[in-house]
Amino acid sequence: MYEKIVLVTRRTRMAGLVERFNTKKQAKFYVEHAGQDFDEFSREDEAYRRNVDTLRDSLSVGLPVQQVDRSLVPTFLFTGKEVVVVAGQDGLVANVAKYVGEQPLVGVNPDPERFDGVLLPHAVAGARRAVRRVLDGHAVYKRVTLAEARLEDGQRLLAFNDLFIGARSHVSARYRLRTGDQEESQSSSGVVVSTGAGATGWLSSIFNLARGVTARSGGVPGPALQLGWEDPRLVFVVREPFASRHSGANLVMGDVTEACELVLESRMASEGIIFSDGVEEDFLRFGAGATARIRPAQQRARLVVG
């Protein structure tokens, strides 16, 4: 059933510095001149490289192992016959999940001292066992709901954690929002649409702000939103809506489901954008005249958890 193992890795901060400044010596001068600890960059780089080497060697289970940098994932041809192993951080799992379809995704934490590992349930030492369970048909999966934004011309964008719909810069985003039988023209800092997996990220920070403002103004904050990874719904929140003669601030939060999609019509000249999971390079243009339909994606991510 499976023909190979794809090991997805990422560049370390050290690798990025060396690419930027051409040599490690010049990178060290820049970092130390800025008052930062260059040795910490080195230790992080060494730990990641060492553990990735150990991980790659441990994946020798009778199938070819192909190592792929995260920058190549959007254009990599996944055939559906790969077991995909991701050597985190957590954000790398979120980014990869959008491109692999429903193929098994094994998240590995290569540096538990530095990475939280919410999406990385497997240690380097346990990765071989997780892959073997996939190959033997005994793996335990968690199916994670993804968000989908689709434009009228057929372009679409998936998100593991969240979608952002707004302006590329810090100017106000202008659009008309429709959910169910309600609609409103709005001017805001943009709209965040969160999955269950993203509910502890960007969405939680928005609710932290709302609870703080409510408490400070004498109100009683509501309970924290509970949204599981496998929950079939999404949640949208409008950031900093501005009420004026031409824009409202009533439709500021709601559920997005198969039966009740979120529709946004852009009223921005050219700076409108939709991006996913905090990666601004992974975007759709959302200029005037464009209409985006947001809903839970039919595709689900399959995370190997046991």
Side-chain angles (χ1 to χ4, degrees), residues 1-246:
M1 180 178 180
Y2 298 107
E3 297 180 348
K4 66 179 176 180
I5 297 169
V6 175
L7 172 59
V8 181
T9 59
R10 62 175 186 84
R11 290 190 310 168
T12 63
R13 292 188 297 169
M14 172 68 78
L17 285 169
V18 171
E19 180 181 40
R20 178 181 176 187
F21 295 104
N22 299 316
T23 68
K24 191 172 182 178
K25 184 177 180 180
Q26 289 177 310
K28 180 178 180 180
F29 174 81
Y30 172 82
V31 169
E32 292 183 342
H33 186 71
Q36 299 183 40
D37 182 6
F38 185 77
D39 289 339
E40 172 56 25
F41 286 83
S42 295
R43 288 190 294 268
E44 177 189 295
D45 181 76
E46 291 168 4
Y48 186 78
R49 291 177 182 274
R50 180 177 63 252
N51 288 328
V52 165
D53 288 343
T54 300
L55 173 61
R56 186 175 57 247
D57 292 342
S58 76
L59 295 177
S60 298
V61 294
L63 293 177
V65 178
Q66 181 176 1
Q67 186 168 332
V68 177
D69 184 79
R70 70 175 297 172
S71 63
L72 301 177
V73 169
T75 57
F76 187 85
L77 180 60
F78 291 100
T79 65
K81 297 182 179 181
E82 302 91 357
V83 178
V84 183
V85 179
V86 179
Q89 301 170 315
D90 293 273
L92 184 56
V93 175
N95 188 252
V96 172
K98 298 178 292 186
Y99 299 101
V100 301
E102 298 200 3
Q103 294 164 243
L105 191 59
V106 181
V108 179
N109 192 339
D111 196 346
E113 292 185 4
R114 294 180 175 86
F115 304 156
D116 291 338
V118 175
L119 302 178
L120 308 169
H122 305 286
V124 171
R128 178 186 176 91
R129 178 176 179 273
V131 171
R132 286 272 15 144
R133 289 181 66 84
V134 171
L135 299 179
D136 295 340
H138 298 145
V140 178
Y141 296 96
K142 180 170 285 190
R143 292 173 61 85
V144 182
T145 299
L146 304 179
E148 177 188 87
R150 185 179 292 272
L151 301 182
E152 290 184 315
D153 62 4
Q155 294 185 79
R156 72 165 189 153
L157 184 65
L158 295 177
F160 187 93
N161 288 320
D162 39 54
L163 291 165
F164 172 80
I165 306 100
R168 181 184 291 274
S169 64
H170 292 290
V171 300
S172 294
R174 292 183 173 274
Y175 52 88
R176 188 162 184 81
L177 181 150
R178 184 168 76 249
T179 174
D181 58 357
Q182 298 178 293
E183 58 183 299
E184 183 174 65
S185 294
Q186 295 184 341
S187 175
S188 74
S189 297
V191 180
V192 174
V193 182
S194 177
T195 67
T200 57
W202 199 348
L203 184 65
S204 70
S205 68
I206 295 173
F207 280 108
N208 289 339
L209 171 64
R211 283 194 294 271
V213 171
T214 300
R216 186 70 176 82
S217 60
V220 179
L225 178 70
Q226 300 295 321
L227 196 65
W229 290 7
E230 296 167 286
D231 197 311
R233 64 186 169 129
L234 313 172
V235 171
F236 79 87
V237 177
V238 178
R239 300 171 64 225
E240 302 168 330
F242 182 71
S244 71
R245 293 169 57 188
H246 307 289

